[in-house]
Amino acid sequence: MHLHNSARHLGIAIGALALVGASWEATAQAYFAGKTMELAVSRGSGGSQDRICRFMASHLERMLAGGPRIVVKNRKGGTGVVATNWLYSQAPKDGTALGCFLPVRNYQAFFSGTAKKRGLVADMTKLVPVAGTPVVAVSYVRADIGSGIKGPKDLKGAPAFKTGGQSITNTKDITFRAVFDLAGIAYDYKTGYQDSSDAWAAVLRGEVHHHSSGLPHFMKVVLPTGVKTGKVTPIYYDSGIVVPGLEPAVPTAEFIRMHGGKPEGPLWSLYQTSRAWRVIYLPPGVPETVVAEIEAAFAAMLGDKAFIDAHRKSYTVFPAWVAGRKALDRQLVSAYRALGPSLVKFRKDYIDKARR
Amino acid sequence: MPVLDAALAGIGALFLWPAIGYLLLGISIGIVVGILPGLGGLSAVAMLLPFSFLLDAYSAMAFLMGVYAVTTTADTIASVLLGVPGTSGSQATILDGYPMARKGEAGRAFGAAYTVSMAGGVAGGVLVVASLPLVRELVLSVGSPEFFMLGVFGLLLVGALSGGSPLRGIVVVLFALALAMVGTSPQEGLPRYTFGEAYLLDGIKIVPVVLGLFALPELLDLFVHRTSISRAALESARDMKEGVLDALRHWWLALRSICIGVYVGMIPGLGATIVDWMAYGHAVQSEKNPERFGSGDVRGVIAPEAANNALKGGALVPTLAIGVPGNAPMALFLVALTTHGISPGPDIMGNRLDVLFALVGALVIANVVAAGLLLVATPYLARIAQIRGTIIVAVVVVAALMGAWMSTHSMGDWIVLMVFGVVGYAMKRWGWPRAPIALGLVLGPLLERYLHLSINVYGFEWLMRPVVLVIFALAVWALYAQFRRDYRRGRR
């Protein structure tokens, strides 16, 4: 009888635990079930930023338990300020609003004390980064400079060539100027092209000789129509690691060393704090369990075969995304914290030098 | 692959299942997108692009081209009936399209617009194929100095868009050029005249401005007079045939406008926002009785509608030939192509000519099908012009607010809409031309960017470049012709 009762109690206890477990799981699953989430994109529709954010949204929908619907909204304006301000101060704090930004200029403004001038109200350290990827840009030059450029080493001793940029304060302009200056390569800086397509056309018609394109533009346009036809040669790319398929281009630090320079000092710090990232954020104040669930969904996505295959198909490379606050804080936010007063002044002087 | 075989393979594939189904689905979506003000081909293609990755190459191209090709055919409905541009490519259509609707000639405007839209789309497709061997040299002959001079040439259209008051037109366009300076400077990347407002960092958006200038004053008019849009009796079916005949009668204007559309499309960076104004300005400059424009002249519908559809064929050319997108939606087509393993340049021009012909075929078929469907629907659509004004006002308010909101999804869009609504009402009331504001806002950034680049890259040698000199000579000649005509008209 006693045993029978004990068994009955044990059964009830197991049943209760199972019920609690089931309801706990159901609650966790149910959090996003039937919910409509918004992913705010900081640029207009159709651009590379818009495309990759939509791509990530479609896979996040699949990975989040409960299968929520994610609506992508283009909140463009002020090169990301409008969307960032919205996420920080107006977006719901329940995990249903995310932002997909290129935040480098906002970090620079925030850590260099020029946020107000830029109209930025967001505290960039309070936004919660849940996933991010470094933006890899590939530098290429016309192959007909001097006696011909077949690889990055051939730039040594080549006559000064015209670089084509987008604006004096553009992060891509600052990074390629810094790389050439660190490597001691002579160049004639021209800027003002609307985007990489505009600059690519200028390279093709010989108006300028160099440009630095984002990886998707390089792989899908420059590689087939420029590199394979012998019109341009890739020379280096912004990455700390070797990216297969970009040969003869080499990673930045190697390129600098190849030409007798050293990747160190304030100019190297400026280069590193000017490199762009794409980051997906949650606003401050989202419950910890919800943040953790979204982080877990991104972490699972990075190992998901369907995501990896789709990424390779769309962007021709293996996804280099990083998931989780800790990793992103280490790689991203802490790097921008280096923008102390002396580096801010160095940056300003470096930009002014180009203006002169 | 021989050219004829490739053409047969590419176009033939469009008629096989499921490609034909996706083409028709794309056309249907494109018509809906074109009708809704504010949404355009770019937004639609951007939203549907990920879906196209799941399809085979032919189906994907048919689907996306179906959507993109017909938005500038269907956008005429809002432009003519509501005075609200359906897309950024039909802003100039409202100048004569809406007055035609008010005269009870909406059916005629539709008949003419759909006929030339179809012709523009088909001719654009044919010209793509014809110009491919020359395209590389043609596109690459236009550098920053030539872009700047084309902008100057476009600016001279101000006389044509000033409705007989060139001096007022010049004042207005200068005001608009000053407005175009608001935002982030293209070379420095620094804020300019933004007063700390993040909304203004990207400059003043053209769509809320045009909606405010043109749609809101008409709305007030409808509300105050409590009439229908059309103050004349409905004869839409007969009017539609008249419109088709108008298009045939003015074939020479349509052809010139198609050429403008194709060439502007081929030059990366100019795009849809400017092509309708260029074609409209050209029509006013070159046609007899220019004083009739702006008061419901069918030629004012024919020119922009022929050009904005022809532009799409033109924009395909640099996209496919050298990987430089002719406009923003073409950048998305490039993504779709490369995702399906087809690269621009030698790959598509040599190995995958079948895909090139599939794209051109889809463009042509979409234009013909959409124009046919919309012509059939015209008698019913034209009835909207007879609906009581108080009902239409509500629709136009929603359309204008929605159209403006689509620019950046922020309150700033509505503030700009309202401010320019007041400005537009005042300008209409006191007889100041409104179209030069749009011209100045479109051309201002282009002029600034390319003047800076011309001087920066070439010094003052850019002034001696042959193509620059030719465009300059054409501009001087156009200015002289305008003055001579105004002088003669004044004497008469």
Side-chain angles (χ1 to χ4, degrees):
Chain A
M1 186 69 184
H2 179 74
L3 269 175
H4 180 74
N5 274 347
S6 297
R8 204 175 65 159
H9 288 149
L10 187 65
I12 290 168
I14 290 170
L17 273 174
L19 269 174
V20 169
S23 66
W24 175 262
E25 194 187 349
T27 308
Q29 278 185 352
Y31 185 77
F32 286 112
K35 282 198 164 79
T36 299
M37 300 169 72
E38 174 181 338
L39 182 74
V41 179
S42 57
R43 300 291 169 98
S45 56
S48 57
Q49 173 72 356
D50 178 56
R51 290 200 303 274
I52 195 141
C53 294
R54 285 177 192 277
F55 175 81
M56 295 302 284
S58 67
H59 286 277
L60 183 62
E61 254 180 1
R62 200 165 51 78
M63 302 309 290
L64 275 172
R69 187 169 157 258
I70 302 181
V71 176
V72 177
K73 252 190 194 171
N74 299 92
R75 294 183 180 272
K76 65 176 181 180
T79 52
V81 172
V82 170
T84 309
N85 286 347
W86 173 84
L87 188 73
Y88 180 77
S89 47
Q90 287 171 264
K93 318 283 188 202
D94 59 356
T96 58
L98 297 105
C100 183
F101 308 148
L102 276 163
V104 57
R105 294 185 79 168
N106 286 340
Y107 277 117
Q108 285 170 347
F110 182 78
F111 286 116
S112 64
T114 56
K116 198 177 172 189
K117 191 178 167 189
R118 196 170 151 73
L120 180 72
V121 297
D123 180 339
M124 294 300 291
T125 59
K126 298 263 170 66
L127 289 173
V128 184
V130 284
T133 183
V135 176
V136 177
V138 185
S139 261
Y140 52 88
V141 293
R142 278 184 70 101
D144 56 4
I145 297 172
S147 53
I149 309 290
K150 291 199 175 78
K153 283 182 184 166
D154 298 335
L155 276 177
K156 209 166 203 166
F161 53 89
K162 289 177 186 166
T163 59
Q166 289 174 238
S167 83
I168 290 171
T169 51
N170 184 282
T171 52
K172 225 184 318 181
D173 282 33
I174 294 171
T175 52
F176 73 64
R177 283 180 56 216
V179 171
F180 288 143
D181 285 340
L182 282 163
I185 289 170
Y187 63 95
D188 185 6
Y189 177 49
K190 309 292 178 195
T191 196
Y193 292 99
Q194 195 166 3
D195 49 31
S196 280
S197 290
D198 196 18
W200 167 234
V203 170
L204 277 180
R205 61 179 176 256
E207 197 168 287
V208 291
H209 304 100
H210 159 267
H211 181 63
S212 184
S213 280
L215 196 56
H217 184 256
F218 178 83
M219 296 299 275
K220 295 187 171 202
V221 174
V222 181
L223 190 67
T225 59
V227 178
K228 286 187 178 163
T229 56
K231 288 185 183 69
V232 296
T233 305
I235 49 172
Y236 75 84
Y237 53 91
D238 298 308
S239 176
I241 55 163
V242 173
V243 181
L246 297 183
E247 301 83 3
V250 293
T252 319
E254 192 182 331
F255 177 80
I256 293 167
R257 284 192 204 98
M258 184 185 279
H259 291 272
K262 285 181 182 170
E264 59 189 34
L267 195 50
W268 181 246
S269 298
L270 177 63
Y271 166 80
Q272 287 185 308
T273 52
S274 299
R275 288 194 53 204
W277 276 70
R278 288 183 214 285
V279 184
I280 297 177
Y281 291 99
L282 282 166
V286 177
E288 179 55 38
T289 50
V290 179
V291 177
E293 193 175 340
I294 291 173
E295 280 183 326
F298 273 115
M301 189 201 291
L302 301 187
D304 179 56
K305 191 178 177 304
F307 169 74
I308 294 168
D309 289 348
H311 194 283
R312 291 185 89 127
K313 190 178 176 194
S314 300
Y315 299 99
T316 64
V317 289
F318 190 85
W321 283 77
V322 176
R325 280 159 291 179
K326 280 181 190 161
L328 281 161
D329 194 64
R330 198 171 54 243
Q331 294 195 38
L332 177 76
V333 186
S334 58
Y336 291 112
R337 281 187 207 278
L339 273 162
S342 64
L343 192 55
V344 168
K345 187 178 179 315
F346 184 83
R347 183 175 181 272
K348 186 180 176 300
D349 291 345
Y350 194 64
I351 289 170
D352 284 345
K353 192 176 143 194
R355 198 169 280 136
R356 283 193 297 271
Chain B
M1 187 184 280
V3 175
L4 194 60
D5 290 352
L8 288 173
I11 296 168
L14 291 175
F15 290 97
L16 299 176
W17 189 261
I20 186 72
Y22 282 113
L23 178 59
L24 294 174
L25 178 65
I27 292 169
S28 313
I29 295 171
I31 289 175
V32 174
V33 167
I35 290 172
L36 296 174
L39 277 176
L42 176 62
S43 312
V45 175
M47 281 187 266
L48 297 168
L49 184 69
F51 174 67
S52 75
F53 296 162
L54 308 173
L55 310 177
D56 65 276
Y58 289 123
S59 299
M61 295 308 126
F63 179 56
L64 293 177
M65 188 52 87
V67 175
Y68 172 61
V70 304
T71 50
T72 45
T73 307
D75 62 1
T76 317
I77 294 168
S79 300
V80 169
L81 288 179
L82 308 179
V84 175
T87 70
S88 59
S90 71
Q91 295 174 50
T93 307
I94 61 178
L95 297 184
D96 279 284
Y98 186 69
M100 284 184 78
R102 302 214 64 169
K103 289 197 288 186
E105 294 179 347
R108 186 180 169 198
F110 287 138
Y114 298 145
T115 309
V116 295
S117 288
M118 179 174 66
V122 173
V126 172
L127 282 170
V128 171
V129 178
S131 60
L132 280 172
L134 302 167
V135 67
R136 193 181 166 76
E137 283 65 31
L138 194 66
V139 173
L140 296 183
S141 68
V142 180
S144 298
E146 288 77 19
F147 274 121
F148 173 74
M149 203 44 86
L150 279 169
V152 172
F153 188 76
L155 210 54
L156 294 177
L157 295 174
V158 65
L161 297 174
S162 299
S165 353
L167 192 62
R168 286 184 169 191
I170 290 167
V171 171
V172 173
V173 87
L174 288 175
F175 168 67
L177 286 174
L179 282 179
M181 306 278 277
V182 174
T184 307
S185 66
Q187 288 76 39
E188 301 270 323
L190 296 174
R192 204 168 49 181
Y193 313 121
T194 56
F195 310 105
E197 286 298 326
Y199 174 80
L200 292 175
L201 283 169
D202 286 348
I204 297 173
K205 303 286 174 299
I206 184 79
V207 172
V209 170
V210 170
L211 284 168
L213 281 175
F214 294 100
L216 292 196
E218 304 307 334
L219 191 75
L220 267 175
D221 204 29
L222 275 180
F223 188 73
V224 170
H225 292 102
R226 292 176 180 274
T227 58
S228 57
I229 292 171
S230 169
R231 291 172 185 175
L234 178 73
E235 293 197 31
S236 50
R238 205 177 67 193
D239 272 359
M240 184 191 76
K241 284 179 197 154
E242 188 62 24
V244 175
L245 290 173
D246 280 328
L248 299 174
R249 249 180 247 128
H250 297 288
W251 67 272
W252 177 228
L253 172 65
L255 185 64
R256 285 180 344 249
S257 303
I258 286 169
C259 290
I260 289 173
V262 170
Y263 193 68
V264 168
M266 274 187 196
I267 300 171
L270 290 183
T273 320
I274 194 173
V275 73
D276 53 331
W277 292 111
M278 289 190 93
Y280 185 87
H282 167 73
V284 181
Q285 273 183 336
S286 60
E287 289 286 295
K288 285 178 184 167
N289 307 316
E291 67 282 356
R292 290 185 192 164
F293 282 87
S295 56
D297 191 313
V298 72
R299 294 172 300 174
V301 173
I302 288 173
E305 288 302 314
N308 65 18
N309 275 55
L311 171 124
K312 295 181 170 177
L316 263 179
V317 175
T319 313
L320 301 180
I322 54 173
V324 176
N327 55 26
M330 280 295 124
L332 299 178
F333 271 86
L334 212 48
V335 173
L337 277 171
T338 50
T339 303
H340 282 95
I342 304 152
S343 299
D347 186 31
I348 196 164
M349 306 284 280
N351 310 326
R352 296 307 304 270
L353 263 178
D354 54 326
V355 176
L356 187 151
F357 279 106
L359 271 167
V360 173
L363 175 74
V364 170
I365 294 166
N367 272 290
V368 173
V369 171
L373 285 173
L374 289 165
L375 275 171
V376 171
T378 290
Y380 308 101
L381 290 170
R383 286 171 202 264
I384 295 171
Q386 303 290 324
I387 297 172
R388 197 150 42 90
T390 43
I391 297 170
I392 286 291
V393 164
V395 177
V396 181
V397 166
V398 172
L401 289 173
M402 192 174 80
W405 182 257
M406 294 306 286
S407 288
T408 65
H409 302 112
S410 73
M411 283 301 290
D413 295 327
W414 284 354
I415 294 169
V416 171
L417 174 79
M418 296 304 166
V419 168
F420 280 88
V422 173
V423 172
Y425 183 76
M427 291 177 88
K428 186 184 173 191
R429 176 153 188 187
W430 285 294
W432 282 73
R434 290 171 284 172
I437 290 194
L439 191 72
L441 273 179
V442 170
L443 289 176
L446 188 141
L447 286 167
E448 185 186 359
R449 179 181 299 282
Y450 290 113
L451 176 62
H452 173 90
L453 276 170
S454 299
I455 295 170
N456 196 3
V457 176
Y458 298 94
F460 283 96
E461 284 172 24
W462 70 271
L463 286 165
M464 302 312 291
R465 286 166 67 93
V467 181
V468 169
L469 291 172
V470 169
I471 301 171
F472 182 70
L474 283 172
V476 171
W477 178 81
L479 199 63
Y480 167 73
Q482 174 85 33
F483 273 118
R484 193 179 62 172
R485 201 167 59 175
D486 287 349
Y487 176 71
R488 282 182 182 168
R489 208 166 53 198
R491 283 187 68 181
R492 273 205 302 272

